[in-house]
Amino acid sequence: MAGELTLIVEMVTVLGVAVSGGYLVNRLHQPVLLGYLLGGMVVGPAGLKLVTLEGDIQVLSEVGVALLLFALGVEFSLKDLLRLRMIALGGGSLQIILTILLGGGLAYLTGWVETVPQGIFLGAVLSLSSTAVVLKSLIERNEVQTIHGQIMLAILIIQDLGLGMMLAVLPVLTQPTEMIGIALFAALVKVLLFLSGAILAGKWVIPFLIRLIAQTGSQELFLLGILVLCLGIALFTYAIGLGIAMGAFVAGLMISNVEYADHALDRILPMRDVFATLFFVSIGLLIDPGFLFANAGVLIGLIAITLIGKAGIVALIVRGFGYSLKMALTVGIGINQIGEFSFVLAGVAQSEGVFSSRLYGLTVGTTAITLLLAPFMLKVTPYLLQWLERFPQINSFLQLNNSPRLVGLEEELVNHVLVVGYGRVGQTLVRMLYFQGHKILVIDNNEAALLTLRERRIPYLFGDASSSLVLEKANITQAKAMAIALPDPMATRLTLKRALSLAPDLDITVRAHVNDEIDSLYQLGAQEVVQPEFEASLEMGAHMLLKLGDSTYAVQQVVNRYRRGRYRDILPERSQYWGAADLEVAIAGLEHHWYVLHSDSPFVGLSLAQTNARRLTGATIMAIERNKQLYRYPTGEFTLESGDRLLVVANPQEHIAFTKLFTGD
């Protein structure tokens, strides 16, 4: 009885600090995983000494590992992998190999590890990135569908797939040197036989068993069946020497193509989250800040290999596949952390006797620190690249803007419509314009997306539309109109700003991604901003009103009124809308500066429309502060007064022009 109570006390303690630590780091906009690690440090041997890894917590954490790998296998997307198969299969595999060689080689040469097997295991640990952290950051920044986001996810999928092979093959390195060749051959044969059996079972046996259980209609039996399948196969692979994690991952793959896969994942996720939390907190129990400080030199070296070496490898690979260096650097910096599954691999290394306690502790510390830095680096990378673009010498050396390639145009480039972005929205727009007989020029930097244009002989420009060089090549000053349908919010704002700086009178229609972007895009100069979700609701509402007997004219008037009002009448919590808009997000990625309006300025007493600032200088006034009250996105009728502070978005040359106009010099 006392032992049972001890387990309950330890579980409550571990889960309690996980909740507390997770809540704390979540409020600081960091991954909750870091909160679990910190919680483990607090209650572990290096902290309050409330919990140790000796006992049942260790066993329960192994269940967490199995469920983590099982869910990973179920979620594995062959479709996503095939969409970018070249960069995924070729680039992802090459990244793993080169990172193992770099990390393991440097560690061996510097004496951080004593044997070659230790170096290989360490390099493998460093080669894995965090799918959870990267995906969460991409979702928060609305960049999942961007090209760099898709490349990141493709490489991460290969890393996840490579983890399964590592778990099966790397333990062989513990064999004596003269036996490694034979052991490796035996392990590969064992893996192939197991995978062959898994494929057959996944095709004939598993679907039958799952359907049989599902037909009972009992959710409890279904969950128990999935759990027994996961842990049963994991125990089988453990018995034949392939490890629990390998079996759990393959069990997930076996279920991933069954029609009940989504339901199985939905049922298992709560259990996975609980037991995985125990696993991550158990890792935190092993982190000793004093130990990390005492080994700071090696720790900094491992972090440098990960942040700089791994980023450089990924950037070179992506660049080698024909993507721009700007894109390559974005991807490289985006996945240069160590992932949560590195803990699993490091744990295997320790259990096999490859990692000493010292090396395991350094690996855990390196992983925790790089995970802490990952969201920050993903956020600052676009700003870093923009800052570098301001220096012509560095820009030329790094070739951040590839020379744009104009394809499929034989006549003079005038009176054309520019369509920026050839995703789902851009493709529909191009088809509409094409069949109406308009001259079109598409701008995109995804070669795969432009194959259709090449086949249909529609002119396109390969390049980054937010680059002034690309816009000049597109002869934007002679264009009739422009539509921006990019999936990246920051690229959308930059493209709009730079397009209007070259062609101030151009009619530009922009796709908004979220509600808070609508007014900021109008303020930056867009003639029309379209929010797809609102447009869908307007079309559905129009259809329903017509069916309810309203006249076509009345329905059209209602829809037009909502559009003219920039959707404000149908915004949720309309009364709170102006205070809820995040101005910092709206100007993210754009150069901005506050100007104080003095009494001798020619702007005093004029409305914004009368200043004609955007037309004369290219600068945009995004907000005005008066008497400690902030007016976001002021309209043209807003009259300026002495003492006002103006938030202005502009490039360096436009800021100079605005200053002269603003001061009357």
Side-chain angles (χ1 to χ4, degrees):
M1 185 68 179
E4 294 176 0
L5 288 177
T6 300
L7 174 60
I8 294 174
V9 170
E10 289 187 346
M11 282 193 65
V12 171
T13 303
V14 166
L15 294 177
V17 297
V19 171
S20 302
Y23 175 81
L24 176 63
V25 299
N26 177 263
R27 302 306 297 172
L28 297 174
H29 306 289
Q30 299 297 324
V32 292
L33 171 59
L34 296 174
Y36 302 158
L37 297 176
L38 291 174
M41 290 173 56
V42 170
V43 299
L48 300 177
K49 299 181 176 60
L50 298 178
V51 182
T52 67
L53 264 182
E54 299 174 358
D56 295 325
I57 288 294
Q58 177 64 37
V59 177
L60 295 177
S61 69
E62 291 291 339
V63 176
V65 172
L67 294 178
L68 268 175
L69 271 296
F70 176 77
L72 176 65
V74 176
E75 292 176 313
F76 181 79
S77 174
L78 184 62
K79 181 180 178 181
D80 290 341
L81 182 63
L82 293 177
R83 187 167 61 239
L84 292 168
R85 54 187 176 276
M86 293 299 293
I87 185 69
L89 295 172
S93 303
L94 192 58
Q95 176 266 319
I96 292 174
I97 294 171
L98 292 179
T99 305
I100 291 176
L101 292 176
L102 175 67
L106 287 177
Y108 184 73
L109 292 175
T110 54
W112 297 341
V113 297
E114 299 174 355
T115 65
V116 172
Q118 282 183 336
I120 295 175
F121 247 114
L122 180 60
V125 169
L126 299 180
S127 70
L128 301 176
S129 304
S130 175
T131 303
V133 171
V134 173
L135 181 58
K136 181 176 182 294
S137 297
L138 291 174
I139 291 174
E140 288 177 349
R141 297 176 59 79
N142 198 21
E143 295 178 357
V144 173
Q145 297 301 323
T146 60
I147 300 172
H148 63 265
Q150 290 292 295
I151 295 174
M152 286 182 194
L153 294 176
I155 294 177
L156 289 170
I157 289 173
I158 289 298
Q159 289 182 2
D160 294 339
L161 189 61
L163 173 64
M165 294 303 297
M166 292 177 190
L167 292 170
V169 175
L170 289 182
V172 172
L173 299 176
T174 59
Q175 301 293 325
T177 305
E178 62 275 9
M179 298 295 294
I180 287 181
I182 298 174
L184 183 61
F185 176 76
L188 289 174
V189 171
K190 195 183 298 182
V191 169
L192 290 175
L193 289 175
F194 170 66
L195 291 179
S196 299
I199 291 173
L200 294 176
K203 186 174 182 179
W204 303 106
V205 180
I206 300 301
F208 172 76
L209 292 176
I210 292 179
R211 290 192 194 99
L212 201 64
I213 298 174
Q215 286 173 1
T216 65
S218 172
Q219 298 297 324
E220 292 81 1
L221 286 178
F222 186 83
L223 174 60
L224 289 173
I226 295 298
L227 192 61
V228 168
L229 176 67
C230 167
L231 298 180
I233 296 177
L235 287 174
F236 174 75
T237 53
Y238 176 78
I240 63 175
L242 295 180
I244 287 178
M246 175 67 174
F249 180 68
V250 173
L253 290 175
M254 294 165 68
I255 291 179
S256 62
N257 289 320
V258 179
E259 62 266 31
Y260 298 102
D262 291 336
H263 183 54
L265 183 62
D266 180 64
R267 299 294 294 173
I268 208 74
L269 281 180
M271 293 188 64
R272 181 205 68 175
D273 293 341
V274 172
F275 284 98
T277 299
L278 293 175
F279 167 67
F280 289 123
V281 175
S282 72
I283 298 297
L285 297 176
L286 300 172
I287 299 178
D288 184 351
F291 165 79
L292 296 179
F293 182 77
N295 294 272
V298 179
L299 183 67
I300 293 173
L302 292 174
I303 293 172
I305 291 175
T306 306
L307 296 183
I308 301 174
K310 187 175 178 180
I313 288 172
V314 173
L316 288 174
I317 291 173
V318 175
R319 186 73 180 94
F321 275 83
Y323 294 92
S324 68
L325 187 55
K326 182 176 181 179
M327 183 77 64
L329 290 172
T330 301
V331 175
I333 297 175
I335 60 174
N336 68 344
Q337 71 290 138
I338 306 178
E340 54 273 12
F341 290 112
S342 295
F343 288 131
V344 177
L345 197 57
V348 172
Q350 186 186 41
S351 64
E352 296 287 341
V354 179
F355 278 10
S356 62
S357 298
R358 175 178 178 272
L359 185 56
Y360 182 74
L362 287 170
T363 303
V364 170
T366 304
T367 306
I369 293 173
T370 57
L371 282 175
L372 177 65
L373 295 175
F376 172 75
M377 298 190 71
L378 281 165
K379 184 176 181 179
V380 302
T381 297
Y383 304 109
L384 172 63
L385 295 176
Q386 287 180 49
W387 181 74
L388 291 175
E389 285 181 319
R390 297 175 57 182
F391 303 94
Q393 297 84 359
I394 299 179
N395 189 18
S396 175
F397 175 75
L398 294 177
Q399 296 180 340
L400 291 175
N401 294 321
N402 280 3
S403 298
R405 304 197 308 270
L406 190 60
V407 180
L409 191 69
E410 299 177 355
E411 54 186 300
E412 186 181 4
L413 193 60
V414 295
N415 295 324
H416 53 296
V417 178
L418 292 172
V419 178
V420 179
Y422 196 62
R424 289 176 295 180
V425 176
Q427 290 173 18
T428 303
L429 182 58
V430 166
R431 283 196 296 269
M432 181 182 296
L433 295 169
Y434 178 80
F435 288 121
Q436 290 300 114
H438 293 283
K439 186 190 295 185
I440 309 166
L441 178 64
V442 178
I443 305 177
D444 205 317
N445 59 358
N446 184 359
E447 186 69 42
L450 300 173
L451 292 176
T452 305
L453 296 175
R454 187 181 296 124
E455 294 171 356
R456 295 181 178 176
R457 300 181 181 276
I458 297 176
Y460 70 85
L461 185 63
F462 182 85
D464 184 355
S466 63
S467 165
S468 299
L469 179 63
V470 172
L471 294 174
E472 290 171 358
K473 185 78 172 180
N475 203 12
I476 190 172
T477 57
Q478 299 298 318
K480 292 171 61 177
M482 182 179 190
I484 303 176
L486 293 169
D488 186 344
M490 181 178 291
T492 297
R493 293 193 298 271
L494 285 173
T495 302
L496 174 62
K497 187 71 183 66
R498 289 175 180 171
L500 288 173
S501 68
L502 296 172
D505 298 322
L506 184 63
D507 189 307
I508 302 180
T509 301
V510 185
R511 168 200 173 185
H513 304 84
V514 294
N515 300 349
D516 290 347
E517 289 183 335
I518 296 173
D519 282 282
S520 63
L521 291 172
Y522 273 117
Q523 196 70 19
L524 287 170
Q527 289 293 317
E528 189 71 36
V529 179
V530 177
Q531 217 282 12
E533 293 179 358
F534 283 156
E535 285 298 318
S537 66
L538 289 179
E539 290 302 317
M540 292 174 66
H543 175 78
M544 295 180 67
L545 290 174
L546 288 172
K547 289 294 183 180
L548 292 172
D550 290 15
S551 67
T552 303
Y553 176 79
V555 171
Q556 192 62 49
Q557 289 294 103
V558 170
V559 172
N560 287 340
R561 186 179 76 247
Y562 287 140
R563 285 175 176 152
R564 284 195 304 270
R566 304 180 183 180
Y567 309 111
R568 291 174 191 161
D569 289 343
I570 53 175
L571 279 168
E573 300 178 357
R574 180 190 176 195
S575 61
Q576 302 175 10
Y577 173 72
W578 292 106
D582 191 340
L583 190 60
E584 291 300 320
V585 173
I587 61 176
L590 301 173
E591 296 183 49
H592 52 277
H593 181 69
W594 285 95
Y595 292 82
V596 178
L597 188 62
H598 298 292
S599 58
D600 58 348
S601 171
F603 277 23
V604 174
L606 298 181
S607 68
L608 287 183
Q610 290 172 332
T611 65
N612 203 18
R614 183 191 293 123
R615 180 70 179 79
L616 295 175
T617 68
T620 300
I621 300 173
M622 297 294 291
I624 298 174
E625 185 181 55
R626 176 183 296 170
N627 298 326
K628 297 183 179 181
Q629 183 174 357
L630 186 66
Y631 298 89
R632 297 171 172 87
Y633 317 122
T635 62
E637 293 76 23
F638 193 101
T639 302
L640 298 172
E641 298 178 359
S642 177
D644 288 347
R645 295 180 71 239
L646 281 58
L647 177 60
V648 178
V649 167
N651 62 35
Q653 293 76 23
E654 292 168 346
H655 274 299
I656 293 173
F658 180 82
T659 301
K660 292 181 179 179
L661 183 66
F662 181 75
T663 58
D665 293 341

